[in-house]
Amino acid sequence: MKAIKTLQIDEHLPFALPLIEEEEIKEVLDTLKSGWITTGPKTKRFEAEFAKFVGARHAIAVNSCTAALHLALEAIGVSEGDEVITTPMTFAATAEVIRYFKARPVFVDIDPVTMNIDVEKLEETVERSAKGGRLKAIVPVHFAGYPCDMDSIIEIARKHNVPVIEDAAHAFPARYKGRMVGTIGDITAFSFYATKNITTGEGGMITTDNDEWADRMRIMSLHGISRDAWKRYTAEGNWFYEILSPGYKYNLTDIAAAIGLAQLKKAHAFREYRAEIAARYNEAFERIAQITPPILKDEPETSHGWHLYVIKLNLENLSIDRNRFIEELRARGIGTSVHFIPLHIHPYYRDTYGYRPEDFPAAYGVFQRIISLPMYPKMTPGDVDRVIDAVLDVASLFKA
Ligand SMILES: *Cc1c(COP(=O)(O)O)cnc(C)c1O
């Protein structure tokens, strides 16, 4: 696909930008003019097209990935005192939804190369949690969009008869051993936040093949009222509804779904373009001792979603630390970010569970060295060159 020329030339290159074009605008205008602006026909179409795209039986549109994860845990029946196993190398959302139920997020350290959950350590933790009788679910996160070792994770989960709920906020579209992410675990949660691979401004999607959980999540996404509650204002609708459970207000609007319908058509092209940027970055950074680029494991059967491009600094070969490296890039007009500050060192988790930084040494160690570089379809080849030049310049200027 062709990149669209960005407005700024020598100014600051933002870390992330959405690519909203005529198709999105046209689809949104159509919705605005239709008179139906909240959950309705466009949301239904977005769900149907998304389900078809990944090959899942059900797709339920919601207003965030956080909502998706919350509904998934509700559907499988997480309750107070349960343990849900996940990674500390993730965003706030993955663990906070576990706390919504007064359940405990149990962290398992990461593989320092892929930054996905370490499956050997996962097995030990799962055994321990299961023995205590509190194991309820496993929530792997496909870090940066690279699929976790799902065969091993599912095998461990099946042994203890607990579901696997995937946080696939980064992994759309991504493929694992020939299957699309969204059809692998028991329930999968996607994000359409402004910076994610496709966006609806704010939004999310849940996929599952389980009819019962799908029903429950759909009902709970809109006040716990009986199925297809949104239809009560259509011609075929009916004023009558029943509250089955105290649910939530997590429905996606048709305005957002309109953006999603247009974005979905470009999802593969967007991913291809990000993969091309990643390949160019890797080529440039593989040559220098100061940086370890991410692995480029793009095989025909397993493909990276390339949401994030995360370099690791080899601090022993540099005279500056990660924070200074980021400042130097900023001074050269390059926006960056850090994914993630591990959850266990945040005050809430540190103080609630008494975690020390070294409790998850791989996550903590890698955290000192990581920088996420810009990688999005709105970047021009010239923008990519600017990032490469700036990184190489800082790395050589501060070579130890
Ligand atoms: C962005 C993100 C989320 C939350 O997505 P929202 O749609 O903003 O709720 C969850 N998990 C991870 C790993 C994320 O990066």
Side-chain angles (χ1 to χ4, degrees), residues 63-67 69 90-91 93-94 141 167 169-170 190-193 196 202-204 307 340:
N63 57 18
S64 73
C65 179
T66 309
L69 291 165
T90 186
F91 185 58
T94 320
V141 177
D167 180 338
H170 301 175
F190 296 93
S191 175
F192 309 135
Y193 180 68
K196 295 287 164 50
E202 298 279 358
H307 170 54
F340 291 95

Side-chain angles (χ1 to χ4, degrees), residues 84-327:
V84 176
I85 299 186
T86 190
T87 165
M89 208 55 166
T90 186
F91 185 58
T94 320
E96 79 195 14
V97 295
I98 300 167
R99 293 301 297 142
Y100 291 177
F101 300 93
K102 296 192 168 71
R104 179 182 181 139
V106 175
F107 299 128
V108 169
D109 208 357
I110 56 166
D111 167 342
V113 177
T114 62
M115 297 204 259
N116 281 334
I117 201 161
D118 179 326
V119 291
E120 271 169 38
K121 296 200 177 97
L122 173 67
E123 189 154 25
E124 291 163 28
T125 306
V126 162
E127 294 291 338
R128 189 156 12 93
S129 175
K131 257 194 207 107
R134 289 183 295 268
L135 177 67
K136 197 68 186 191
I138 302 173
V139 183
V141 177
H142 304 299
F143 182 87
Y146 186 68
C148 292
D149 177 356
M150 292 306 294
D151 281 350
S152 302
I153 293 170
I154 288 169
E155 194 187 316
I156 294 167
R158 292 291 173 263
K159 216 168 110 192
H160 298 281
N161 202 23
V162 293
V164 175
I165 295 168
E166 292 162 66
D167 180 338
H170 301 175
F172 182 76
R175 195 179 294 274
Y176 173 77
K177 297 193 177 174
R179 291 156 68 193
M180 292 294 290
V181 169
T183 63
I184 300 163
D186 295 288
I187 303 177
T188 308
F190 296 93
S191 175
F192 309 135
Y193 180 68
T195 59
K196 295 287 164 50
N197 289 352
I198 68 165
T199 186
T200 60
E202 298 279 358
M205 191 71 80
I206 316 168
T207 59
T208 184
D209 284 350
N210 183 301
D211 299 344
E212 196 186 312
W213 289 336
D215 255 7
R216 177 71 183 179
M217 293 188 287
R218 195 174 284 290
I219 287 167
M220 293 305 278
S221 74
L222 194 55
H223 304 298
I225 61 186
S226 37
R227 226 149 114 65
D228 278 338
W230 65 274
K231 277 192 183 156
R232 68 196 185 280
Y233 298 118
T234 66
E236 57 178 300
N238 185 316
W239 59 268
F240 184 76
Y241 63 85
E242 286 180 306
I243 300 164
L244 307 175
S245 212
Y248 308 100
K249 186 68 168 68
Y250 283 164
N251 55 306
L252 190 75
T253 70
D254 263 25
I255 300 171
I259 306 172
L261 281 167
Q263 290 265 300
L264 190 58
K265 293 191 175 71
K266 307 173 192 175
H268 283 306
F270 283 176
R271 196 212 79 92
E272 285 308 308
Y273 193 71
R274 289 191 308 271
E276 278 172 34
I277 297 175
R280 287 195 53 207
Y281 281 164
N282 265 50
E283 199 194 336
F285 303 145
E286 257 155 16
R287 284 185 270 212
I288 61 166
Q290 300 93 311
I291 289 170
T292 302
I295 44 156
L296 267 180
K297 267 203 210 149
D298 241 356
E299 300 144 16
E301 294 292 283
T302 293
S303 68
H304 200 311
W306 286 121
H307 170 54
L308 298 173
Y309 184 88
V310 180
I311 57 168
K312 297 185 187 98
L313 302 180
N314 299 326
L315 296 173
E316 63 284 8
N317 298 328
L318 284 163
S319 62
I320 54 172
D321 66 4
R322 187 270 317 278
N323 296 0
R324 177 74 189 281
F325 204 108
I326 286 176
E327 278 169 38

